[in-house]
Amino acid sequence: MAPSSSRGETVSVGGHRLRLTNLDKVLYPATGTTKADVLAYLAAVADVMLPHCANRPATRKRWPDGVDGQVFFQKNAGQGVPSWVRTRRIQHKSSANDYVLVNDLATLTWLGQTASLELHVPQWQFGRTGAHLNPDRLVLDLDPGPGAGLPECAEVARLARRILQGMGLEPLPVTSGSKGIHLYAALDGKQDAAAVSAVAHELARYLESEHPDLVVSDMKKSLRGGKVLVDWSQNNGNKTTIAPYSLRGREHPTVAAPRTWDELDDPDLRHLDADEVVERVRTIGDPLAALTLGHLSALEPTPERMATFERKGAAASGDDDPGAGDDERPDRLHRYRSMRDAQRTPEPVPDEAPPPSEGNSFVIQEHHARRLHWDFRLEHDGVLVSWALPRGEPTDPKKNHLAVQTEDHPLAYGSFEGTIPKGEYGAGEVTIWDAGTYELEKWRDGEEVIVTLHGEQHGTRRLALIHTGGRDGRDEDNWLIHLMAPRGEPKKAGGASTPLATRPDHEQRTERDGASEPRPARTDWRPMLASPASAGDLHDGDAWAFEMKWDGFRALAHVSQGQVRLVSRSGKDMTVTYPELQALAEQVPAEALPVVLDGEIVALDERGRPSFRRLQQRANIAKPGDVAAARRRVTVDLMVFDVLETAGRSLARRAYDERREILEDVLSGARAPVHVPPAFDGDLDAAMETSRRLGLEGVVAKRRDGTYSSGRRSSSWLKLKHAQSQEVVVVGWRPGHGDRTHLVGSLLLAVPDDGRLVYVGRVGSGFTDAERRDLVTELGRIERTTAPATGVPREDARDARWVSPRRVAEVVYAEWTGPGEGEGDDIPFGKLRHPVWKGWRRDKSPDDVVLEAPASS
C-alpha cells in the first residue's frame, strides 16, 4: 500500500486524504520492519481486524522511534487528529478523554502513520447514540508465570473451554503475541460489566480449585511460578485487552493472532508474526469471525431511558485507571504499571495502589537507555515523583537544566539497579548515582519544588524545580532544575560540587590522575571491532602486536564477587548459556574486582582447534535442561585477550601494551576453560604462519600504543585472514532439483548498504542434507511474499522463496566479481564468487553486518 520512501507522500484511503511520512523508518530493528511494512500489514488485515475494534474506545501504545525507543501510552485523541477520525468522549472522575474509534481503514492507516503499534480495546462498545452498551464478549487472559509457557496456557484453555461450553458459550482462542493466550466468548449483551466480571472471576477460582498445580487466579507474583494466571479482570468496564490482529511492540513484529483449537494441540505452538498472519488471512480468513456475528444489532435504549442509561454507563466506566475503585485516593502508580510487564522486567511492579507515606528519601539513577540521562526521584505521598534530566544536575547556578516529569514510581524503585531488557520501556542499564534524604522547603504540585539534598555520595546541595510547560497545551511535562545557594548564603556563581552534569564520558571520569575511588563496573561496554586489512596495510611492524583470530562468539565477561556475567557483541546476556565459564570468577584476585574482560567463546574439536560448527550447537540455549544436554555434547572455552576495567577503574585510555600487562597479571593463574593466549611482537609473518599451522582463521594486528574504543570499529585493530569470509543476511532460498526439491538448494544473500539490503549472490555448497532439511523448517517460519533485497537477478529470483531478513550467516568465498558483471548491474560491490556455507552467526543481528572486503579484493 505504501511504497518505501523517506520523503513521504499523500494518499487517499477510503475517500480521506492522508500524509504518510518517514516510510523507511525502521520500527522493528531486529527484523528491519519499516513503517511502510507496518502500514502494508494493517491494510492486509483491515477487513478482519476492524470488526473486533469498531465502536470501542481505543487506547494506543506508540513507538515513534521504533520498539527500541520510548513507548507512549495514549488514551486521549490529542492534537493533530484528522477531522474525519471518529471519537467518543468518556468522563472520568477528574477528567474527560476523547477516545479514537477504529472503525475504518483510513483511521487504521493514520494510527500506523503515528507508530501506534498496539491497540487496546474494552469488551464493550458505544451504541449509535454514544451510550455505553453492555459487554458483547467475555475474555480470559491466560498469562504464564515463570517456568510456564504456551503449552501450559493451551492446557488451561482446553479446561476453560469445557466449562464455558457447559454455560452455552463457545470460546475462541487468540495467541496474544506476547506470552499467553486470550479466550473470547460472544455474549448477548444482557449482563453489565460487573456481572460479566463476577462470572469470569468465579470461573477462574473454579479452575484454580480443580487444578491447583496448574492454575492461579490471584495476581500476586509470588504465587505464579510454574502456573498460568487466569486473569478475569479484563472484563471490568475500565480495562482493555490487546485487540485481535494488533501488532505488539516487542523485539519482533508478533501479532495477537486468532487461532483454531486444532492449532492449540500442536506441541510446537508459538506466537505468529505479521507476515504469517497476513498469509493466514489470505488462505483461511478470520478464525475469530464468530465473535462478531449476531451481536451488533442490540437494541438501543429508548429516549426515555437514555438519561438513566448514560448515567449508569458513566458510573460503570468511572475512572479508567485499573485498580482505581470507589476510594477517593487515586492510584498514582496506574500509569507506571500500564507501561511495564512484571514478567519481562526486573523493575518492581507492585500489584496495589500505594498507601500514603511521609518519608523524605531521594534517589538519582544513571540510566543508559536509548539516550543517556539521569532520573531524579523524590519520595512524596507514597510514591517517587520523578523527572528525567537529559544533562543531569546543574553545577552552575547560572545554567539551568531541563527536567522532564515522568510517571510516578513505586518507593521500591529507590533501591533498583539492573538491566531493563531490550524491547521494554526504558530498556537499558540503571545504576544508583546518589541517594539519601532531603529537606523540603516548598512543594506546590505542578508548579514548584525546592529541596535540599543530603546525598550519600555527592553531598549536600539545594535545588529548585520550576514548571515551565503546559501553558499553551504543549510540553506540559517540561520543568527547569536550578542549583540554588545554601539557605542563609548569598547567591554566587559556581554552585555546589556535583560532577553529574558536566563530567566527561565514563572513560574519562574514572581516570582522573589515577586517584578515583573504585566504582561498580560499567555495564554499557561494547566490544571494540577490528577493520579488515591485508599485509600491505601494516607499516612499521614494530608498532604492532599480533594475536590469533579465534573462530567463535565475542563476549565481554563482567566479573564481580563470585559471579561472571557474559554479554554478547550486541548486548545480549549469554550467562545462562555457558555455565562452565563461571570458573572465571575463581581465577580473578579479589583486589582486582570488579573486572571487565574481552574475549572469544570457542568450542574446540578433538585436535584442540576452534570449530565454529560445534559452537553453534551451544548457541541461543537458555533452558537449564537444554543447556545441560548441549554441554554434554560440546564444551566451550574462553580465550581472553583484553581487559577494560579493574577494581572499577576504566583502562580504556591505557595503551594496548599496558592493558596486556595488566591482563596477564590479573589472570596469571588462568586454567581451563579460561585461557590468555600469547601475543606475537612485531613479526606478522611468524604470526600468520603459526595461525595457519594451528588451523585458525588468521591474526588480529593491534597497535601497541592504541587505546580501547568501546563499540567502535577501529584502524588500531586490523584483522588479516587466510581465507576471505563475509557475514551476510539471508533473504531467501531456492529449492533443490530432481528428488531434492524438498530440501534447500541454495540460500540467497545480501548485505546492508546505505539503509537497504543489497543482493550479493547465493550459496549452495557446504551444507549437509540434515542442515538442508533444518533450513526448510527454520526459514519456513519467517517466509514473506516479497524480496527484501534489491538487485536480485531474474534467474535467481525465478523460484525463490523469500524470508524476512532476520538471520545472519557467514560464508567463505574466493573473490568478489566486479560491479556490473552479468545480471544485477545495480549491485555496487559485485557478487560473491564461489561462496561456501560456514554457519549461522546467531550472536549477531543484520545491523552488525558490514562489508568485510572491497569488490576489488
Side-chain angles (χ1 to χ4, degrees):
M1 184 194 73
S4 190
S5 168
S6 58
R7 295 184 298 274
E9 61 177 52
T10 300
V11 297
S12 178
V13 183
H16 302 293
R17 290 176 61 80
L18 182 62
R19 182 71 176 169
L20 303 179
T21 59
N22 298 318
L23 297 176
D24 283 337
K25 177 179 283 188
V26 175
L27 298 182
Y28 293 87
T31 59
T33 303
T34 63
K35 183 188 286 188
D37 295 327
V38 167
L39 291 169
Y41 167 77
L42 294 175
V45 302
D47 288 345
V48 294
M49 182 178 182
L50 290 172
H52 301 298
C53 299
N55 301 312
R56 302 179 194 272
T59 296
R60 296 163 278 158
K61 292 177 75 173
R62 299 175 53 227
W63 282 266
D65 297 319
V67 295
D68 286 350
Q70 188 171 2
V71 59
F72 295 89
F73 191 82
Q74 188 164 351
K75 297 177 180 179
N76 204 26
Q79 299 179 346
V81 179
S83 59
W84 41 263
V85 171
R86 291 189 60 193
T87 61
R88 287 288 189 187
R89 175 162 293 191
I90 296 179
Q91 180 64 51
H92 306 302
K93 287 183 178 179
S94 58
S95 64
N97 283 345
D98 293 317
Y99 287 79
V100 170
L101 304 184
V102 190
N103 285 16
D104 51 54
L105 176 58
T107 300
L108 196 58
T109 303
W110 170 71
L111 291 169
Q113 160 63 25
T114 62
S116 299
L117 301 180
E118 289 193 7
L119 303 179
H120 296 248
V121 294
Q123 314 319 317
W124 58 270
Q125 301 182 60
F126 286 106
R128 289 187 293 273
T129 58
H132 298 199
L133 302 180
N134 281 337
D136 61 346
R137 62 195 191 195
L138 174 148
V139 66
L140 296 176
D141 179 5
L142 309 182
D143 187 5
L150 276 181
E152 289 77 16
C153 290
E155 184 177 351
V156 174
R158 289 187 286 269
L159 296 172
R161 183 189 190 192
R162 288 195 287 270
I163 299 172
L164 289 167
Q165 286 175 326
M167 298 165 58
L169 303 175
E170 182 53 57
L172 301 168
V174 173
T175 47
S176 70
S178 175
K179 292 184 298 181
I181 293 174
H182 297 158
L183 282 187
Y184 287 96
L187 302 176
D188 59 10
K190 294 180 180 179
Q191 295 84 21
D192 62 17
V196 175
S197 291
V199 170
H201 194 181
E202 190 58 37
L203 191 155
R205 286 175 176 152
Y206 176 79
L207 285 169
E208 181 180 35
S209 66
E210 291 294 303
H211 307 278
D213 294 334
L214 179 62
V215 177
V216 62
S217 65
D218 192 309
M219 296 188 188
K220 291 180 180 177
K221 290 188 290 186
S222 59
L223 303 176
R224 295 173 60 182
K227 299 181 182 181
V228 175
L229 169 68
V230 179
D231 184 357
W232 51 271
S233 68
Q234 294 182 35
N235 297 283
N236 185 307
N238 305 324
K239 293 291 190 73
T240 60
T241 307
I242 187 78
Y245 293 102
S246 173
L247 289 162
R248 302 305 298 250
R250 303 175 75 84
E251 183 177 9
H252 295 82
T254 52
V255 173
R259 310 299 288 267
T260 67
W261 282 103
D262 286 343
E263 287 180 295
L264 261 61
D265 293 332
D266 186 346
D268 295 324
L269 179 68
R270 58 181 177 80
H271 295 288
L272 301 179
D273 66 21
D275 292 338
E276 293 171 311
V277 170
V278 169
E279 181 62 19
R280 286 168 60 85
V281 170
R282 186 183 68 82
T283 55
I284 67 173
D286 180 18
L288 201 64
L291 190 64
T292 61
L293 299 179
H295 304 295
L296 301 182
S297 58
L299 294 176
E300 294 289 330
T302 62
E304 293 78 17
R305 294 177 59 198
M306 269 299 295
T308 302
F309 186 92
E310 288 183 342
R311 284 196 298 272
K312 179 181 177 183
S317 294
D319 190 343
D320 66 344
D321 287 354
D326 296 329
D327 185 50
E328 291 298 320
R329 176 179 170 81
D331 179 2
R332 297 189 62 165
L333 294 181
H334 160 51
R335 186 179 175 210
Y336 173 90
R337 279 193 296 269
S338 71
M339 300 162 75
R340 291 163 176 84
D341 183 339
Q343 299 304 309
R344 298 195 69 212
T345 179
E347 301 164 281
V349 185
D351 294 326
E352 301 176 352
S357 75
E358 298 181 356
N360 63 333
S361 65
F362 85 91
V363 66
I364 299 172
Q365 287 157 317
E366 189 172 313
H367 193 168
H368 292 265
R370 188 168 180 268
R371 293 181 177 88
L372 172 64
H373 65 275
W374 288 263
D375 294 314
F376 181 80
R377 313 192 195 280
L378 298 173
E379 180 179 354
H380 182 71
D381 196 22
V383 298
L384 292 174
V385 181
S386 301
W387 292 264
L389 311 181
R391 295 176 56 209
E393 278 186 36
T395 58
D396 184 345
K398 296 180 180 179
K399 295 180 180 180
N400 298 326
H401 286 180
L402 174 66
V404 181
Q405 189 162 17
T406 61
E407 71 278 10
D408 294 337
H409 282 52
L411 295 182
Y413 213 99
S415 59
F416 173 67
E417 291 187 293
T419 301
I420 302 173
K422 185 177 180 181
E424 297 302 297
Y425 173 73
E429 190 73 20
V430 177
T431 57
I432 294 176
W433 184 81
D434 199 6
T437 60
Y438 72 89
E439 295 177 51
L440 179 61
E441 185 174 337
K442 182 183 295 186
W443 193 297
R444 292 193 296 156
D445 279 327
E447 296 184 36
E448 183 181 16
V449 176
I450 300 178
V451 294
T452 297
L453 305 183
H454 300 287
E456 298 170 359
Q457 299 182 54
H458 295 285
T460 299
R461 60 270 196 202
R462 184 172 174 230
L463 298 166
L465 287 147
I466 304 159
H467 189 214
T468 63
R471 294 181 176 85
D472 58 358
R474 297 184 301 174
D475 301 326
E476 60 183 0
D477 294 326
N478 284 0
W479 296 57
L480 291 178
I481 185 168
H482 169 68
L483 177 65
M484 303 179 70
R487 299 182 81 169
E489 292 186 12
K491 295 181 180 180
K492 60 182 180 180
S497 177
T498 170
L500 178 58
T502 58
R503 69 189 181 197
D505 67 24
H506 297 280
E507 296 169 2
Q508 295 170 8
R509 72 177 169 85
T510 56
E511 295 191 87
R512 293 172 182 168
D513 301 325
S516 58
E517 289 298 317
R519 304 169 182 263
R522 275 180 57 184
T523 54
D524 63 337
W525 287 110
R526 291 294 180 266
M528 178 174 173
L529 306 177
S531 299
S534 62
D537 295 321
L538 272 74
H539 306 286
D540 187 12
D542 291 340
W544 299 86
F546 302 97
E547 298 178 3
M548 297 297 103
K549 189 176 188 308
W550 302 101
D551 200 6
F553 292 156
R554 190 76 173 276
L556 295 185
H558 297 251
V559 188
S560 56
Q561 192 67 44
Q563 63 180 8
V564 177
R565 178 169 171 260
L566 299 169
V567 180
S568 74
R569 171 175 155 176
S570 61
K572 178 182 178 181
D573 193 312
M574 304 188 295
T575 307
V576 298
T577 305
Y578 306 106
E580 59 263 55
L581 298 184
Q582 291 297 315
L584 176 61
E586 303 171 0
Q587 302 182 29
V588 177
E591 62 270 17
L593 297 174
V595 162
V596 180
L597 303 168
D598 191 356
E600 193 97 354
I601 298 172
V602 299
L604 303 178
D605 62 18
E606 65 278 0
R607 296 178 295 175
R609 298 175 178 176
S611 169
F612 190 68
R613 288 207 170 183
R614 280 177 57 80
L615 182 61
Q616 290 194 62
Q617 299 179 49
R618 291 291 303 272
N620 287 1
I621 303 174
K623 293 183 178 179
D626 295 341
V627 171
R631 186 178 174 185
R632 286 192 291 270
R633 297 191 304 270
V634 176
T635 60
V636 300
D637 289 73
L638 180 65
M639 304 296 183
V640 183
F641 46 71
D642 214 326
V643 56
L644 284 60
E645 282 192 29
T646 58
R649 294 189 179 93
S650 171
L651 304 176
R653 296 191 178 275
R654 309 283 183 93
Y656 166 84
D657 279 347
E658 187 176 356
R659 298 198 312 276
R660 181 75 193 192
E661 183 177 347
I662 295 172
L663 172 64
E664 292 176 352
D665 183 53
V666 168
L667 290 180
S668 59
R671 56 195 180 279
V674 179
H675 312 268
V676 181
F680 292 77
D681 293 330
D683 193 340
L684 174 60
D685 292 339
M688 290 293 283
E689 177 56 33
T690 299
S691 171
R692 188 178 291 106
R693 177 166 44 82
L694 294 176
L696 303 178
E697 275 194 303
V699 303
V700 179
K702 300 183 177 181
R703 284 199 64 89
R704 294 154 63 91
D705 60 356
T707 57
Y708 193 97
S709 300
S710 176
R712 300 190 184 101
R713 192 173 297 277
S714 170
S715 59
S716 292
W717 285 13
L718 301 176
K719 53 185 176 182
L720 302 93
K721 300 180 181 181
H722 302 302
Q724 300 184 93
S725 66
Q726 174 66 46
E727 291 170 1
V728 290
V729 181
V730 175
V731 295
W733 61 280
R734 298 178 63 189
H737 300 292
D739 60 356
R740 298 170 66 82
T741 56
H742 63 293
L743 302 176
V744 165
S746 60
L747 298 179
L748 307 183
L749 314 174
V751 297
D753 177 62
D754 195 23
R756 59 178 182 161
L757 284 171
V758 178
Y759 182 71
V760 294
R762 54 191 172 93
V763 57
S765 61
F767 304 102
T768 66
D769 280 355
E771 287 174 326
R772 293 180 189 274
R773 283 192 295 271
D774 291 344
L775 285 169
V776 172
T777 302
E778 178 161 3
L779 298 179
R781 298 190 184 107
I782 57 171
E783 283 196 359
R784 55 183 280 168
T785 57
T786 58
T790 63
V792 185
R794 289 189 298 274
E795 176 60 27
D796 288 357
R798 178 173 49 82
D799 57 351
R801 303 278 294 273
W802 304 114
V803 301
S804 297
R806 306 177 190 173
R807 306 287 197 269
V808 175
E810 187 170 357
V811 296
V812 294
Y813 64 95
E815 61 180 346
W816 287 90
T817 67
E821 291 186 24
E823 281 195 280
D825 290 351
D826 60 339
I827 301 176
F829 339 111
K831 296 197 314 188
L832 294 167
R833 180 166 286 163
H834 306 309
V836 177
W837 176 257
K838 185 176 179 183
W840 290 118
R841 293 300 317 219
R842 300 189 189 276
D843 57 326
K844 298 187 179 181
S845 70
D847 290 339
D848 295 325
V849 175
V850 297
L851 191 65
E852 294 284 351
S856 59
S857 63

